[in-house]
Amino acid sequence: MVDEALEETGAVQQRLRKIPARVVVYLLLAAALFEDCGYLAVWRKLTAALEAIPVAKVTGTALWDARTRLGVRPMRALFDLLRGPATAIRTDGARFKGLLTVAIDGTYLDVPDSPLHRARLDKSTNQYATSGYPQICLATLVACGTRAVLDAAFGPRSSGESVHGKRLMRSLRAGMIVLLDRGFSGNTFLTAVAATEAAFLARVTAARKPPVLNRFDDGSYLSRFGGTEVRIIECEIAITTSQGRQTGLYRLATNLLDHHRYPASGLVSLYHERWEIESAYFAIKKSMLSRRVLRSRTWAGIAQEVYALLSAYQILRIAIADATEATPGVDPDRASF
């Protein structure tokens, strides 16, 4: 797959080099697994088992030059080859009434506080000061049955997660139901989702007061967001943790208008699956990154890192799905990352 990505993007080296393009891809993937190391230390881990074979002596500058020659396109192409629902089509709980259950949400990753990143990404500010690291916004489309990534888009935090989320419409299609949090419940975003022929189930803000056009016997009612007809479901959800129990009122909107085939109670239960994308982000940001700042001080380097991180995550997710599939009755989301 690495060779295919390099060939597709015209990134295969034209002459024999100390660090061929294929090796640079593996270096970037290894860096996603050894996030606490600099690239020279990652190189030593990558080549540690090759004691019987002469290994090229490299410097930090040589690794940087090799990454610069490679560029971003091969890493994006590799991620495109890997992304998908893994075994979600065959996994119990991956579908709702025949619809593949997916979720879109955004998260934020810290990048080095360099002049270049500050100029492009800016930093968080409040009424007192500017603080923290510059950040990028990462929006992903995740298959809830396996937490595998179907697509991803990222860019400056200032653009907002719904802007980056719109780039994921290319991967939505009929036969899917996409779960959305309040940040993605605007009329424009929901209209764009509906245009892909995918179904949606979105939480809307409490401040929104949708008109009641018709009431159904399951407690939901027909309404309209812009030019899109929706059903509104109002429900009470209790969250119980070691800190206690908290109850909140949720208002959900869906373009599944048939209340007989898609009763309100079933949709309320389904919305709990949206938490799978939060668990996916926990695996990426805590298990893999350990909350660390990304390494690169250039935008191209950050893009390489993000695609390598997503590719490494996806490879592990595929392995988890394959392993759990071999054990009847085990759900992929019960497997330890």
Side-chain angles (χ1 to χ4, degrees), residues 49-291:
L50 304 178
E51 294 175 351
I53 303 171
V55 176
K57 301 295 183 184
V58 302
T59 63
T61 300
L63 293 178
W64 168 250
D65 290 342
R67 288 181 57 204
T68 303
R69 283 195 303 272
L70 181 73
V72 177
R73 293 177 64 235
M75 300 309 298
R76 183 171 58 234
L78 179 62
F79 171 65
D80 283 338
L81 288 171
L82 287 164
R83 64 187 177 94
T87 57
I89 292 175
R90 302 187 300 276
T91 300
D92 292 340
R95 291 182 176 275
F96 172 75
K97 305 285 187 178
L99 301 172
L100 182 67
T101 306
V102 300
I104 289 176
D105 203 0
T107 193
Y108 302 102
L109 300 176
D110 294 334
V111 302
D113 191 2
S114 68
L116 188 148
H117 289 326
R118 282 200 300 272
R120 177 162 186 159
L121 303 174
D122 209 350
K123 297 174 67 174
S124 299
T125 59
N126 57 34
Q127 59 181 318
Y128 302 109
T130 298
S131 62
Y133 289 95
Q135 291 183 318
I136 61 168
C137 175
L138 171 66
T140 62
L141 172 66
V142 166
C144 295
T146 56
R147 298 182 192 152
V149 178
L150 281 72
D151 203 353
F154 56 91
R157 174 174 183 153
S158 57
S159 298
E161 59 184 8
S162 63
V163 171
H164 300 300
K166 279 186 182 177
R167 294 162 57 192
L168 305 177
M169 299 299 158
R170 62 199 174 197
S171 295
L172 294 181
R173 54 175 173 77
M176 289 181 171
I177 180 166
V178 56
L179 310 181
L180 302 164
D181 202 5
R182 289 172 292 186
F184 297 89
S185 64
N187 288 2
T188 303
F189 195 89
L190 295 182
T191 299
V193 173
T196 68
E197 300 186 4
F200 63 76
L201 180 63
R203 184 183 178 190
V204 298
T205 61
R208 195 161 189 172
K209 307 296 182 185
V212 179
L213 303 181
N214 187 28
R215 291 195 177 274
F216 301 115
D217 54 18
D218 67 344
S220 63
Y221 60 89
L222 184 68
S223 189
R224 182 180 294 277
F225 287 173
T228 305
E229 281 195 331
V230 296
R231 270 172 68 212
I232 303 296
I233 301 164
E234 295 176 339
C235 57
E236 185 177 88
I237 291 181
I239 301 168
T240 304
T241 70
S242 59
Q243 304 301 311
R245 180 182 174 91
Q246 182 178 347
T247 302
L249 292 175
Y250 276 52
R251 182 182 288 125
L252 306 177
T254 180
N255 57 345
L256 295 174
L257 303 182
D258 187 342
H259 66 286
H260 295 295
R261 179 169 174 74
Y262 307 105
S265 58
L267 291 170
V268 170
S269 296
L270 174 67
Y271 192 73
H272 289 66
E273 294 297 313
R274 196 201 69 81
W275 195 257
E276 299 295 355
I277 195 169
E278 304 289 357
S279 296
Y281 283 144
F282 181 86
I284 291 171
K285 296 174 69 173
K286 181 64 170 66
S287 300
M288 296 182 73
L289 283 176
S290 297
R291 307 287 184 189

